[in-house]
Amino acid sequence: MEGEHQNQETDQKQQFDSISRLAATKTPEELVFLYKGIQYPSLLCSPETFEALEKVFQPRPDDAMIISYPKCGFNWVFQLLTSMAPMVNKNVEGHIDKVIPLLEFGKPEKFKVMEESPAPRMYGTHLYYGDIPQSFFQNNTKMLVIFRNPKDTAVSFFHFYNKNPLIPSFKSWDEFFTRFMSGEVMWGSYFKYAVTWNKHMDNPNVMVVTYEELKADLAAGIKKIAEFLKYTLTEEQVQSIAEGGTFGAMQEKYKTKNASFGQVLFRKGEVGDWKNLFTEAQSREMDAKFEECLAGTALGKKLNYNVYCKY
């Protein structure tokens, strides 16, 4: 089992390095394509995979599906779940790293591999609510939706763009901020994303967790997630997952697993880093956008904007 896991990690590193070399031969325009009016990375996603997700993949009620806008904590929560799952069912351990967890990434053939995976399966997406096939809702798939305050999300996304060789970079933070606010970035508008998910806060198969609450008390967050997914964990298991799930522990893990990819995924992992880039005018502009889209909503309250996003 250990040798198989190491081989999977080696394959992932080789795939990332290979795609990075291909990306170096592309123009910025070639690294992006539009699907239903939204930008996606052309070397990671394809219309064929989107269509197969709609027509081929069959979600299950005991699946654990993580949903987030980019840079809101998807990889962090996925790592937590990969620690949890073998504690629930030891049979899943050899299947966890066989496919890229984001549903929209990779080739359509990945869904055949996923069909053979034992429960509980774990995967996720950055897709809008409206772009997720209705089969996920009809089959009562458990959806764990991760949100992060929009200012830290924007800053993290900016650095992600400029560190990731597979997508175009930006010349300046000011340029990126303008595009972020207009939704002209990959996976579209943060605020449109938030508005669509706010409508489903009361869905019993949807649970919203914030990056900030996990940072404040990771063990409590793990317990909350486990309860939602109906995973039975001992106190010792919760503590073990929490110790291995800190930002520092995950960053260290990726230094040995795939250093180049780890540098893209994990930067600071801080709350409040937005103050190092936002101007006062930009801060006021986003405050107004939040007020327009989310003030007074259940999700807006959960994001605790006045605590995390005000000078």
Side-chain angles (χ1 to χ4, degrees):
M1 186 69 71
E2 182 178 350
E4 180 183 357
H5 190 66
Q6 289 174 343
N7 289 337
Q8 290 167 358
E9 292 178 353
T10 300
D11 289 344
Q12 289 175 0
K13 181 181 186 303
Q14 291 175 345
Q15 289 173 8
F16 179 76
D17 292 343
S18 176
I19 297 175
S20 297
R21 288 192 295 270
L22 177 60
T25 69
K26 303 290 185 180
T27 65
E29 293 76 17
E30 290 174 325
L31 294 175
V32 179
F33 79 99
L34 290 178
Y35 187 79
K36 295 184 179 179
I38 296 176
Q39 297 179 23
Y40 294 101
S42 62
L43 296 182
L44 295 174
C45 304
S46 72
E48 293 77 18
T49 298
F50 281 101
E51 291 166 8
L53 174 60
E54 179 76 43
K55 299 176 182 178
V56 176
F57 185 64
Q58 292 297 317
R60 306 169 186 164
D62 54 8
D63 288 347
M65 183 178 183
I66 309 169
I67 301 166
S68 82
Y69 187 81
K71 308 314 297 175
C72 285
F74 176 92
N75 290 292
W76 184 13
V77 175
F78 185 76
Q79 292 299 318
L80 296 176
L81 289 189
T82 60
S83 296
M84 285 187 202
M87 297 177 181
V88 178
N89 182 349
K90 294 186 181 299
N91 292 330
V92 306
E93 192 165 11
H95 293 263
I96 289 173
D97 293 325
K98 283 192 174 181
V99 296
I100 302 173
L102 278 168
L103 291 174
E104 59 266 37
F105 280 10
K107 298 180 179 180
E109 292 76 17
K110 69 183 287 183
F111 298 122
K112 295 180 181 178
V113 177
M114 294 177 70
E115 188 62 33
E116 298 171 358
S117 299
R121 298 186 304 182
M122 296 169 299
Y123 49 79
T125 186
H126 292 322
L127 294 175
Y128 281 111
Y129 170 87
D131 290 334
I132 296 173
Q134 282 302 302
S135 56
F136 287 87
F137 301 93
Q138 295 164 354
N139 292 356
N140 296 321
T141 299
K142 293 289 187 181
M143 301 182 188
L144 183 61
V145 186
I146 315 300
F147 269 98
R148 186 182 191 180
N149 80 72
K151 291 183 179 179
D152 278 330
T153 298
V155 168
S156 184
F157 208 3
F158 167 65
H159 288 294
F160 182 75
Y161 258 94
N162 286 353
K163 290 167 63 178
N164 191 337
L166 309 186
I167 58 179
S169 59
F170 279 87
K171 294 179 180 178
S172 69
W173 157 250
D174 290 345
E175 179 190 4
F176 177 82
F177 177 80
T178 299
R179 293 273 294 276
F180 182 87
M181 292 301 292
S182 66
E184 297 176 87
V185 291
M186 292 195 186
W187 283 278
S189 165
Y190 170 98
F191 289 99
K192 180 181 176 182
Y193 198 96
V195 168
T196 59
W197 278 106
N198 177 68
K199 299 174 184 178
H200 303 278
M201 293 284 287
D202 294 330
N203 186 325
N205 292 314
V206 173
M207 184 175 78
V208 175
V209 176
T210 68
Y211 188 96
E212 291 77 16
E213 67 181 295
L214 291 177
K215 287 286 289 186
D217 192 337
L218 184 55
I222 290 168
K223 290 178 181 178
K224 184 177 179 181
I225 291 170
E227 182 178 357
F228 172 68
L229 297 175
K230 302 189 185 311
Y231 293 176
T232 301
L233 300 175
T234 66
E235 190 64 35
E236 290 75 18
Q237 288 173 327
V238 169
Q239 292 304 317
S240 174
I241 295 168
E243 289 171 8
T246 64
F247 183 84
M250 290 191 300
Q251 196 172 44
E252 191 63 32
K253 176 182 177 180
Y254 266 86
K255 283 182 181 179
T256 56
K257 180 179 180 180
N258 187 343
S260 54
F261 190 44
Q263 290 173 358
V264 172
L265 290 180
F266 303 107
R267 192 176 66 89
K268 286 187 176 181
E270 296 177 356
V271 176
D273 188 45
W274 63 268
K275 296 178 182 178
N276 293 317
L277 281 183
F278 271 71
T279 65
E280 289 189 18
Q282 289 168 344
S283 181
R284 290 194 297 271
E285 182 179 345
M286 189 167 281
D287 292 348
K289 187 70 171 178
F290 185 90
E291 186 72 20
E292 173 192 346
C293 297
L294 293 168
T297 67
L299 178 57
K301 182 178 180 181
K302 190 168 184 64
L303 285 170
N304 215 352
Y305 190 87
N306 288 336
V307 171
Y308 295 114
C309 293
K310 293 294 182 73
Y311 277 110

